[in-house]
Amino acid sequence: MASTEGRIVQVGIIGCGEITQVAHIPTLGFLSHRFQVTYLCDVSQGALNHCQAKVIGPRPKITVDVEELCASDDVDVVIIANSDAFHVPHTMIGLKYNKFVFVEKPMALSLKDADLIIEAEKKSAGKVMIGYMRRYATAFLDAVKEIGSLEKINYARVRDIVGPNSTFVGQSGTFPRSFQDHRQSDIENLSYKTNDFIQQALCEELKIPNTPDLALMWRHLGSLGSHDLSAMREALGMPTSVLGASLCKSTGSPFWSALFQYPSFTVAYESGIDLVPRFDASIEVFGDTKTIKIVYDSPYVKGLPVTMQIKEALPDGSYRESTVRRTYEDPYTIEMNEIYACFMDGKEIKTTAADAKRDVELFGMIMHAGVGVNKA
């Protein structure tokens, strides 16, 4: 097979908001030997103009029409980074035109929508990859191997408590801007589609009411929660049940927790958002003689390393702590290189649509435990 190194992948980005400005456009620019942003799409003309000027290399085309971008021969890979409510319909359009579609998490927030994407991918020459960047961090991959070497797991903790995202974004050096020049019809469409997927997930699939508290909890699970729970699934597998859960309330600080049952151990999960400007995210696994911890920092400040910390009992009875930082390369860069390998070389996609559906199933288990629904 001929080498693909040096070939440039043409990228179209749908959604020119914060994540595109802070992560995708800069990272693709740094990887200009592999990628070129050729098309941008957004409902805001101001965001389009701003992002067009930020792209390294030739100025990309801009449009408010998703279909125009996906149909273009100037686009090989479609990155979907707009509001959650449009991830499914825009992924479907990308697959319609046989594109390689990279969609930021959450891919979908109902089982029905997840199945729509899975079925559409089967009928398309295109592929779907989900943006779980934490799962591509080198330290995470190292830790998964370490966890696999344990004779048994006694207990694990998953934690993700973060301060205001604006703190990290404001110090990222990317100088993003927010625009409000949206048409009223676009605002109404976003509201309609958001309520539609929440209604489908909560009322139709989970058989629980669509209240403000439960709708907020569902959105939090799809945003911050999906990072942790997806990584937990890869490291430990899917839990067999949720023994209990405390859900966030719209009237107070959004904190939530759950206790997952695995065949031979439990996992405590806690997450939330407050006003303390720090990023406290980790997965910690306890074996008999070794504890393995993956520690994440904010992905919005480039160069902050993901590390693996090990605490262990040595054969001579001594105790050792070690911190392994194999690279400063950030998860977004590693993830974009993974896109290149999957698109150009046919590497197997790890974060698939079928994998992302398991998150929705797990969200449902948490919600049922939190509201006291007995599935039996």
Side-chain angles (χ1 to χ4, degrees), residues 107 113-123 353-355 357:
M107 175 193 77
D113 281 348
D115 285 336
L116 283 175
I117 290 178
I118 291 169
E119 290 306 310
E121 186 179 17
K122 291 176 182 177
K123 300 173 184 177
D355 173 85
K357 181 182 175 181

Side-chain angles (χ1 to χ4, degrees), residues 110 112-113 191-201 210:
S110 75
K112 175 184 176 182
D113 281 348
S191 177
Y192 170 78
K193 287 188 175 296
T194 299
N195 188 67
D196 185 59
F197 76 67
I198 292 175
Q199 184 76 10
Q200 171 65 29
N210 180 5

